[in-house]
Amino acid sequence: PSRLAAMLTSFIEGLLCCLTSKPANTVVPVETSEPADGYEFVEVKPGRVLRVRHIIPDRPAVEEPSLGGIVSCKRKITVYRNGQLFIENLGERASAELKTCQNGETEPNSTVEVELTDCRNSSPPAEQSQQPRKRRRKPKRTVVIDCERRIAACKGTHSDVALFFIHGVGGSLDIWGSQLDFFSRLGYEVIAPDLAGHGASSSPHIAAAYTFYALAEDMRLIFKRYAKKRNILIGHSYGVSFCTFLAHEFPDQIQKMVMINGGGPTALEPSLCSIFNLPTCVLHCLSPLLAWSFLKAGFAQQGSREKQLLKEYNAFNVSSFVLRAMMSGQYWPEGDEVYHAELTVPVLLVHGMHDKFVPVEEDQRMAEILLMAFLKVLEDGSHMVMLECPEAVNTLLHEFFLWEPVTLPPPKKEPKARPETAKPQTDNTSEP
């Protein structure tokens, strides 16, 4: 009955919106707890105010030796005009380079220069097969990376470590409630903003305010305001793209990254055939159906616990106008595979096995493209895995924060001639 009443109410409001040409459910910040309870309101631009939860641990900072492994990153990334991407790791202990063909298959230990028809399924004509003519590809773009990065363990008692949590479309900083409480109790300084139009942030009624570039600029200003010497970015879904953007903008300040159900390393482009292209008033009429669909696709189970999580953590409470503007504003052509392959920061990929929004193959592809990536799949989780499995997610994140690579000594070069090899020869000649 309550669902039917909600559907009737939204239908009437949407009908009035279409008749009167007034926006349905104009965006208003939700009621919050006491602002003094770790919440701040930051004006990133005149009239554009974001709510930020900022928790500074009370425990005193303990000096910690700045030890850690040094990772040498030497990569050559080549993109050809037919869409081929070649990643050549040039380091001494680098893994085999990855060759990706147009059909999506990968081949290890491939050479950088290949035939023009290597990734084509069609066979060459008979006259060409009799006299094969080899042509070298002309690369469309070549990127060379050569840097060294020191990876240290980010302990919570250190005063120069900050954790940034960025949510996705339709969420709010409340979805990170378990993570913010867990890591702040451990002594980490945590920062979690509400995107514009979400949670208690201001919501301008103009579609241009919700493009990727507008939201990314907000996150850049928030990062500059709260950043420490060492920072860790944690993003969920659409928020992963903003974390990747920040890692490119501030490569020397980002220590590590966590991508939770973020998808593959592809450039963002809004879908032309999507339900979110419908008029705002129509979307408002369908809002109960959209919320029900999100519950079915975003959670592995749809019981009373999941419904309570959806309501309690404000996981899908956004206006129809903002939802439409967010989906149509996901245009980011720079965020392609090369853009992701340029990242030199260690990345933890967390994926919920039952996620119906992001297939696991996309996160697997992301793990292949990134230089230092670790993919962890949680079998009991879906798209909202931080709400479904908070203890497992917190454990994975904490282990990753404390991780540091082991620096191995360089292998010793063997001498050209050793006495052991010459001794048997002299013994053999002395025998009768």
Side-chain angles (χ1 to χ4, degrees):
S2 59
R3 180 178 299 176
L4 179 60
M7 293 183 65
L8 291 175
T9 302
S10 63
F11 177 78
I12 295 174
E13 291 178 355
L15 183 61
L16 292 176
C17 161
C18 295
L19 295 176
T20 61
S21 299
K22 293 183 179 180
N25 63 337
T26 303
V27 187
V28 178
V30 299
E31 294 294 332
T32 65
S33 56
E34 293 298 326
D37 189 21
Y39 292 94
E40 302 174 4
F41 290 86
V42 181
E43 188 174 26
V44 291
K45 290 181 180 179
R48 192 178 177 96
V49 181
L50 303 184
R51 180 183 67 155
V52 180
R53 188 175 182 189
H54 181 208
I55 303 178
I56 302 176
D58 297 330
R59 55 194 301 180
V62 179
E63 291 298 328
E64 172 191 351
S66 57
L67 300 177
I70 298 179
V71 177
S72 177
C73 173
K74 294 183 180 180
R75 275 188 141 188
K76 182 179 179 181
I77 308 169
T78 307
V79 184
Y80 293 94
R81 299 186 183 278
N82 68 341
Q84 277 186 302
L85 176 66
F86 292 85
I87 301 178
E88 184 179 8
N89 294 313
L90 306 177
E92 296 180 356
R93 296 182 179 86
S95 58
E97 70 181 57
L98 179 68
K99 182 180 75 174
T100 304
C101 302
Q102 286 182 335
N103 56 10
E105 296 179 356
T106 59
E107 300 178 10
N109 301 323
S110 59
T111 57
V112 178
E113 295 183 359
V114 296
E115 298 296 329
L116 189 63
T117 57
D118 278 359
C119 291
R120 301 183 187 274
N121 296 326
S122 60
S123 58
E127 60 270 17
Q128 293 185 2
S129 60
Q130 295 177 358
Q131 295 179 356
R133 187 180 64 175
K134 297 182 179 180
R135 293 187 302 169
R136 286 194 175 185
R137 298 172 183 270
K138 290 184 178 180
K140 179 181 179 181
R141 180 184 177 190
T142 301
V143 178
V144 179
I145 305 172
D146 188 357
C147 66
E148 287 189 351
R149 175 181 289 272
R150 179 180 292 274
I151 310 299
C154 295
K155 298 187 182 299
T157 55
H158 220 59
S159 59
D160 62 352
V161 177
L163 310 182
F164 288 82
F165 294 83
I166 304 179
H167 67 83
V169 178
S172 70
L173 63 84
D174 297 324
I175 68 172
W176 302 110
S178 299
Q179 287 70 45
L180 298 180
D181 295 339
F182 177 81
F183 288 105
S184 61
R185 287 196 301 267
L186 290 178
Y188 289 90
E189 182 174 349
V190 297
I191 301 98
D194 275 334
L195 296 178
H198 295 68
S201 293
S202 61
S203 306
H205 198 77
I206 177 174
Y210 305 99
T211 63
F212 172 84
Y213 296 102
L215 298 171
E217 178 63 16
D218 292 345
M219 295 301 100
R220 190 182 70 85
L221 296 175
I222 291 295
F223 181 83
K224 289 183 63 177
R225 178 184 178 93
Y226 294 101
K228 299 294 183 179
K229 182 179 179 180
R230 294 188 291 170
N231 305 275
I232 301 179
L233 306 177
I234 304 97
H236 172 248
S237 193
Y238 192 27
V240 169
S241 298
F242 302 118
C243 292
T244 306
F245 169 81
L246 293 176
H248 267 269
E249 290 288 305
F250 307 96
D252 297 331
Q253 293 180 263
I254 306 301
Q255 186 74 10
K256 297 172 184 175
M257 281 180 58
V258 179
M259 300 180 176
I260 303 178
N261 293 330
T266 56
L268 298 181
E269 185 174 355
S271 176
L272 298 178
C273 300
S274 173
I275 189 177
F276 299 104
N277 292 329
L278 295 173
T280 302
C281 52
V282 177
L283 284 180
H284 184 65
C285 296
L286 300 176
S287 56
L289 179 61
L290 293 176
W292 177 80
S293 300
F294 180 82
L295 176 66
K296 297 287 290 184
F299 292 85
Q301 300 178 1
Q302 295 82 38
S304 58
R305 174 180 176 270
E306 285 71 26
K307 294 179 181 178
Q308 183 64 26
L309 289 174
L310 191 65
K311 180 179 179 181
E312 180 180 354
Y313 287 96
N314 203 21
F316 195 76
N317 184 15
V318 64
S319 76
S320 303
F321 174 81
V322 173
L323 183 61
R324 184 178 189 273
M326 289 282 290
M327 299 303 294
S328 61
Q330 292 186 3
Y331 179 71
W332 186 34
E334 296 86 0
D336 56 5
E337 288 189 336
V338 177
Y339 190 90
H340 288 82
E342 292 176 340
L343 292 177
T344 59
V345 59
V347 179
L348 172 65
L349 298 165
V350 181
H351 184 89
M353 177 60 74
H354 302 279
D355 191 352
K356 297 181 180 63
F357 292 112
V358 180
V360 67
E361 290 79 11
E362 293 192 15
D363 277 331
Q364 289 173 345
R365 178 61 179 161
M366 180 74 81
E368 294 174 350
I369 291 295
L370 297 175
L371 176 68
M372 291 180 287
F374 311 92
L375 175 60
K376 300 293 183 181
V377 179
L378 296 180
E379 297 182 357
D380 297 331
S382 183
H383 193 67
M384 305 302 295
V385 66
M386 77 288 292
L387 296 179
E388 299 172 288
C389 314
E391 294 83 6
V393 172
N394 293 341
T395 301
L396 286 177
L397 267 59
H398 194 208
E399 291 178 350
F400 180 63
F401 297 165
L402 299 178
W403 169 81
E404 62 183 55
V406 179
T407 305
L408 299 177
K412 296 181 180 180
K413 296 183 179 180
E414 297 182 358
K416 296 182 179 180
R418 294 185 300 177
E420 292 79 359
T421 58
K423 187 175 181 180
Q425 296 178 359
T426 56
D427 293 342
N428 293 335
T429 57
S430 61
E431 291 179 357

